[in-house]
Amino acid sequence: MKKPVLLCVDDDPQVLGAIERDVRREFRAEYRVLRASSGEEAVATMEQLRQREEPLALVLADQRMPGLDGVGVLSRARELYPDAKRVLLTAYADTEAAIRAINAAHLDHYLMKPWDPPEQLLYPTLHDLLRAWQAAYRPAFRGVRLVGFQWSPRSHELKDFLAGYLIGYQWLDYETDVEAQQLLSLRGLTPQDLPVVVLEDGSVLANPSTAELAAQIGLTTAAAHDLYDVVIIGGGPAGLAAAVYGASEGLKTLVIERQNFGGQAGTSSRIENYLGFPTGLSGTELTHRAWTQAVRLGAEVLAPREVAKLSVQDGYKVLTLKDGSDIRTRAVVLTTGVSYRTLDVPGIERLSGAGVYYGAARTEARSCQSQDVYIVGGGNSAGQAAMYLASYARQVFILIRGESLTTTMSAYLIEQIKQTDNITLLPFTQVQEVSGEEYLQEVVLTLQNGEVERRPARALFVFIGARPSTEWICGTVVCDTKGFVLTGRDLVNDPRYVTSWKHPRREPYLLETCVAGVFAAGDSRAGAMARVASAVGEGSMAIKFVHQYLDE
């Protein structure tokens, strides 16, 4: 962080040199001393400092200057930097004017010329003023800032993206935060440019795509090699486990993730039943550790990039990305995971990202402070979200179609929910409609007794099961009727699929699809168990079969 600035202003070169010398000698360890030889130059300097968002602690200006005088400079300083201390430097003849200006320009002090010796006539006053400034000074946030509207789906998308990659950022709501409005004004932007990302170096991205933002925050978006041993498509627990084992065992490994690493597990606010973490950890933390581990061991990651097509050419697998570029590899592991099913009720699509969220409890929890929120679903993800939101919301309502959570949620979560006063379970309850002008304001519920009831709601979080993210691949590999990828014995035991396996010399390996050398692991594989530990196990097993395939 740059040091706060002390600005000395005088049109007399000799006086300006003397005051700058004395101030610098005493304060240079903690402050940066700048000089200006006219009132106009001083104002221009302050405007530049404000544009660069640098702190200004004190302005020391001579009164008698042609053009803009000292009081004029300090009045302008008050507009640009209201908290900066303002000191007028006067000759004896200007004392009366200085006293009048204390009220008119809200001066903090005036000093007489000459100030020799400075140890008695200059430094004590400036030290007092700077101590007062330091006591009230709040350093500007030095990191990524996201300015937008609270109810904007685009703002929510960028918040979710930054949070998913553990990029610390400051959220500024344009409608309620003066700093947000100033940030836009300083850069000549308007509300039509929102959402706006201000990076740590001060550069600005107006309404960026996630790909544009990814490039600016240091994510890799282009493959470094022409050919890989194995490409893993999907960065959830199964994909990251495959990356760790592939890279650690010497395979040239690439991971491609279309959104955020972690998949559904990455959105979990608390995972407490994963082996080796007795106090639990968030899905984001687990994901970040696995991602870091894979990269440290030599895996390459591309994100956010999406694969549109897989084909086989001369024994190699060719992955065509959505931008038209190709990546060649000897083997592929599909770990595309699943995505939450959408709730099909009136108003839901219009309010998605504006009060209705799918698996985004961590991103939007703080905005639910002292409000009522609703969760649809009775699985572990819903329970973890409820526990997390209960720390912020006034009341959390869990809506389920059945009688209880015992068949869908882990016992430890059920017990925690029972012991949390501001979580209420509503059995045999369904959402009939959601409504609101620009954001969610009400949910319409069908209750256990058949009664329809309207309730105010700040947010609705939906966790109603998942569908496999395999739309793009089911024309190349065999999928079941629900879109899950069939592998191993499922291909040869079912007469409907047995002809899809073309390899003449062997049966498919346990996690191998109907295309030799293409494997599937994790939640998108038919028959997989929806648990983080099992996904990690399958991802690591897939690499064993990759080795066997490559050794053929």
Side-chain angles (χ1 to χ4, degrees):
M1 187 185 301
K2 290 185 177 178
K3 296 177 182 178
V5 170
L6 309 181
L7 179 59
C8 303
V9 189
D10 201 304
D11 66 315
D12 186 324
Q14 259 190 315
V15 176
L16 181 59
I19 190 68
E20 180 192 16
R21 178 200 64 220
D22 289 344
V23 171
R24 191 183 300 277
R25 185 175 61 194
E26 181 71 6
F27 298 101
R28 65 184 175 189
E30 297 180 27
Y31 298 91
R32 195 155 56 100
V33 181
L34 300 182
R35 58 188 285 173
S37 59
S38 70
E40 290 77 11
E41 184 185 343
V43 171
T45 298
M46 288 188 287
E47 289 174 342
Q48 289 172 5
L49 290 171
R50 189 167 182 265
Q51 183 76 25
R52 297 196 298 261
E53 297 180 71
E54 295 187 40
L56 177 65
L58 181 141
V59 182
L60 179 60
D62 182 55
Q63 168 58 12
R64 289 196 177 186
M65 293 186 293
L68 191 63
D69 64 15
V71 172
V73 170
L74 298 178
S75 297
R76 186 74 177 115
R78 184 174 177 239
E79 296 171 10
L80 294 170
Y81 283 93
D83 299 325
K85 298 302 179 183
R86 297 174 295 279
V87 179
L88 191 67
L89 195 60
T90 69
Y92 181 77
D94 297 322
T95 304
E96 213 172 301
I99 292 172
R100 287 197 304 270
I102 288 176
N103 293 327
H106 294 271
L107 304 186
D108 293 294
H109 206 84
Y110 72 91
L111 289 171
M112 300 284 293
K113 293 192 288 188
W115 57 86
D116 191 51
E119 290 78 10
Q120 296 178 16
L121 301 178
L122 179 65
Y123 298 154
T125 298
L126 297 188
H127 274 298
D128 286 345
L129 291 172
L130 291 172
R131 273 194 292 267
W133 180 83
Q134 285 281 6
Y137 172 56
R138 184 170 64 92
F141 180 81
R142 296 293 175 183
V144 176
R145 285 171 289 180
L146 174 59
V147 183
F149 295 110
Q150 177 60 49
W151 306 110
S152 160
R154 281 287 295 127
S155 294
H156 168 69
E157 181 185 357
L158 295 182
K159 281 194 281 186
D160 221 25
F161 179 79
L162 290 168
Y165 285 98
L166 281 186
I167 303 298
Y169 71 95
Q170 181 185 43
W171 163 248
L172 299 171
D173 186 349
Y174 181 80
E175 293 183 306
T176 60
D177 199 307
V178 174
E179 184 181 350
Q181 296 160 15
Q182 290 174 344
L183 273 175
L184 254 64
S185 175
L186 284 171
R187 289 161 174 80
L189 300 174
T190 69
Q192 283 68 44
D193 296 307
L194 295 175
V196 166
V197 177
V198 182
L199 301 174
E200 190 168 358
D201 64 3
S203 57
V204 175
L205 302 174
N207 195 15
S209 67
T210 52
E212 291 170 333
L213 182 54
Q216 292 297 319
I217 62 177
L219 297 179
T220 304
T221 58
H225 302 284
D226 296 328
L227 179 65
Y228 292 87
D229 293 321
V230 60
V231 172
I232 300 151
I233 306 174
L240 291 171
V244 166
Y245 281 89
S248 67
E249 293 172 14
L251 297 178
K252 188 181 289 185
T253 304
L254 174 69
V255 186
I256 304 175
E257 169 55 47
R258 68 175 181 173
Q259 292 176 323
N260 290 352
F261 282 97
Q264 274 196 317
T267 68
S268 296
S269 50
R270 201 75 184 162
I271 301 172
E272 296 191 59
N273 59 353
Y274 187 64
L275 184 68
F277 295 90
T279 60
L281 76 170
S282 73
T284 306
E285 291 173 300
L286 179 61
T287 299
H288 188 70
R289 293 183 187 199
W291 178 20
T292 303
Q293 187 178 16
V295 172
R296 183 180 65 82
L297 291 170
E300 184 184 337
V301 296
L302 296 187
R305 299 301 300 271
E306 186 171 354
V307 180
K309 180 183 174 184
L310 184 153
S311 58
V312 179
Q313 297 177 6
D314 301 324
Y316 294 105
K317 283 68 181 171
V318 180
L319 302 172
T320 303
L321 304 186
K322 226 172 184 182
D323 65 358
S325 61
D326 289 338
I327 295 173
R328 293 166 64 83
T329 178
R330 299 168 66 195
V332 171
V333 180
L334 301 171
T335 57
T336 54
V338 294
S339 55
Y340 288 111
R341 295 188 182 278
T342 57
L343 189 64
D344 187 17
V345 299
I348 201 81
E349 187 174 347
R350 182 173 60 85
L351 296 174
S352 181
V356 176
Y357 307 107
Y358 292 89
R362 286 179 64 84
T363 306
E364 299 296 340
R366 291 186 182 278
S367 65
C368 298
Q369 192 77 43
S370 304
Q371 303 287 324
D372 290 347
V373 300
Y374 290 78
I375 293 175
V376 184
N380 278 3
S381 295
Q384 290 158 354
M387 290 302 301
Y388 187 75
L389 289 164
S391 301
Y392 301 92
R394 177 174 55 199
Q395 192 71 34
V396 178
F397 297 93
I398 302 177
L399 317 180
I400 58 172
R401 294 187 177 191
E403 181 180 5
S404 72
L405 298 169
T406 53
T407 59
T408 57
M409 190 179 293
S410 296
Y412 80 91
L413 271 173
I414 295 174
E415 190 59 33
Q416 288 179 0
I417 287 169
K418 285 180 181 178
Q419 295 175 6
T420 306
D421 292 338
N422 63 334
I423 299 180
T424 301
L425 179 67
L426 298 179
F428 304 110
T429 301
Q430 297 184 50
V431 177
Q432 189 178 81
E433 182 185 351
V434 296
S435 63
E437 290 298 322
E438 297 181 356
Y439 55 89
L440 178 69
Q441 293 173 300
E442 283 187 333
V443 292
V444 181
L445 307 180
T446 302
L447 303 179
Q448 182 175 357
N449 57 9
E451 181 183 346
V452 176
E453 185 175 301
R454 285 186 173 272
R455 295 190 176 193
R458 163 60 185 80
L460 177 71
F461 296 90
V462 182
F463 303 86
I464 56 170
R467 56 181 177 80
S469 302
T470 56
E471 308 87 353
W472 65 278
I473 194 65
C474 283
T476 304
V477 301
V478 174
C479 300
D480 66 13
T481 55
K482 294 182 179 179
F484 292 93
V485 179
L486 293 169
T487 59
R489 298 296 303 174
D490 288 342
L491 292 169
V492 294
N493 288 343
D494 192 320
R496 293 175 297 174
Y497 309 123
V498 67
T499 57
S500 65
W501 176 249
K502 306 295 185 183
H503 201 292
R505 296 188 301 277
R506 64 171 176 83
E507 289 188 349
Y509 296 122
L510 181 63
L511 299 180
E512 196 167 20
T513 70
C514 67
V515 179
V518 177
F519 303 86
D523 290 355
S524 62
R525 188 184 69 82
M529 185 182 298
R531 289 289 185 271
V532 176
S534 62
V536 169
E538 287 193 9
S540 57
M541 284 170 55
I543 297 301
K544 173 182 181 292
F545 298 125
V546 167
H547 278 295
Q548 291 180 351
Y549 169 75
L550 295 178
D551 290 340
E552 290 178 355

